């Protein structure tokens, strides 16, 4: 087993394994993390690239569907593919993830059918997947609140004896995803405090995409966000969030620490939201094209493509085959969304509680009678 101690650092420069120009970065600092990649083979690297390309295509299709009026709203992940695919692929099957509302790439790594994510954004239901089956909780729109849910869940896992047993098929970690804006919420500070003093097996994964809607990170914190973890006694690391291998390595280490009883970790993945906050947002009102160009040159997909081609692991034929696969995904997304029917109004009463509740039953009956009253008067609903 490799060390579960987070490498000490006072260097605020994000840990990097692949530079924006596709070169591998070799340094004393990233040596413990490079060791975490020893188990990856060429197919794994190609898999990371394929994952990011397909998730980006899904993102493009979903954005277009919203513009066509097929979705009420959509939260793009454009630019954050490496942070999500890298960290998501580090999870074991038994681990549990708590997302916010933009973690489409993580959902993909947990086996959620990408088109099903759009049921929420079309308003059909509160989520299109079985959270327990996929070990991926439903999206949370309340900023930061789910970091407390994740920490509480981790404490439950700990008390169920699913941490530090040495059985790698049983030992369980929990991960919570949130953005830089959520770190300004009290919930995240409370989650860090509870996680620290209870040694909870949780990884708090912050995707610092630079903007909390229209407020830059510089207006939220005077120090890099990862340093907040230090104040709570939580091992913390800052990684290049556009470097899929750095994200994979850092998350692998943090999850192992959690599963083996080493407690929580705070990860700040420095990335950039290249698109809008949501489709209701206009980022041209608060940021410059020069800034967007700077980050576009650091596209997470481009750098892995360059690495693969440089090392002879990717060619035009493979790119063309992947493009065909992406086109098929796009068609499947469009067909699925346009085929979604309108749910029964009474479905709002489903799943309020895990078991039948008399008050909910009473409300459902009243609502059914109310709806029927329009029909009795000769009208149609």
């Amino acid at each position: 087993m490799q060390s579960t101690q987070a490498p000490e650092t006072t260097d605020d420069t994000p840990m990097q394994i692949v530079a924006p120009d596709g070169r591998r970065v070799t340094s004393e600092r990233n040596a413990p993390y490079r060791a975490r990649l020893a188990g990856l083979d060429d197919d794994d690297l190609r898999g990371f690239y394929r994952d990011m390309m397909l998730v980006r295509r899904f993102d493009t299709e979903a954005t277009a569907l919203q513009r066509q009026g097929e979705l009420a709203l959509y939260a793009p992940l454009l630019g954050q593919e490496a942070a999500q695919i890298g960290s998501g692929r580090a999870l074991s099957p038994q681990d549990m993830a708590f997302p916010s509302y933009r973690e489409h790439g993580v959902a993909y790594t947990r086996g959620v059918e990408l088109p099903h994510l759009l049921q929420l954004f079309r308003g059909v239901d509160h989520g299109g997947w079985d959270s327990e089956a996929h070990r991926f909780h439903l999206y949370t729109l309340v900023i930061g609140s789910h970091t407390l849910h994740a920490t509480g869940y981790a404490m439950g896992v700990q008390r169920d004896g699913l941490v530090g047993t040495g059985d790698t098929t049983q030992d369980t970690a929990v991960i919570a995803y949130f953005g830089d804006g959520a770190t300004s919420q009290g919930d995240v500070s409370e989650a860090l405090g509870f996680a620290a003093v209870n040694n909870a097996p949780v990884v708090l994964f912050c995707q610092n995409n630079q903007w909390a809607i229209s407020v830059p990170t510089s207006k939220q914190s005077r120090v890099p966000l990862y340093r907040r973890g230090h104040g709570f006694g939580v091992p913390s690391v800052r990684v290049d969030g556009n470097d899929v291998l750095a994200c994979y390595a850092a998350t692998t280490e943090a999850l192992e620490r959690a599963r083996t009883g080493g407690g929580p970790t705070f990860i700040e993945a420095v990335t950039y939201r290249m698109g809008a906050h949501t489709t209701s947002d206009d980022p041209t009102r608060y940021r410059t094209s020069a800034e967007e160009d700077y980050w576009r040159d650091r596209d997470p997909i481009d750098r892995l493509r360059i690495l693969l081609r440089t090392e002879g692991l990717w060619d035009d034929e493979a790119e063309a085959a992947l493009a065909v696969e992406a086109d098929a995904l796009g068609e499947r997304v469009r067909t699925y969304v346009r085929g979604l029917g309108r749910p029964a109004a009474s479905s709002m009463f489903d799943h309020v509680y895990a078991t039948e509740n008399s008050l909910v039953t009473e409300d459902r009956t009243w609502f059914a009678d109310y709806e029927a009253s329009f029909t009795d008067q000769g009208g149609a609903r």
Side-chain angles (χ1 to χ4, degrees), residues 36 50 55 65 96 103-104 134 136 147 150 182 188 224 233 245 260-261 264 289 293 295 313 320 326 332-333 341:
R36 296 278 173 180
R50 172 181 175 273
V55 167
L65 284 167
M96 185 69 184
E103 275 66 68
H104 319 317
H134 292 284
F136 184 75
T147 58
V188 174
L245 296 187
T260 56
S289 58
D293 290 343
W295 284 97
L313 304 177
R332 191 155 56 89
V333 170

Side-chain angles (χ1 to χ4, degrees), residues 18-19 24 89 121 132-133 138 169 177 187 202 220 231 247 258 275 297 313 318 321 375:
V18 181
R24 288 187 184 264
R89 286 299 180 202
F121 295 105
E132 180 60 27
L138 299 180
T169 66
Y177 289 90
D187 303 55
V202 62
Q220 302 177 66
C247 292
D297 289 341
L313 304 177
T375 304

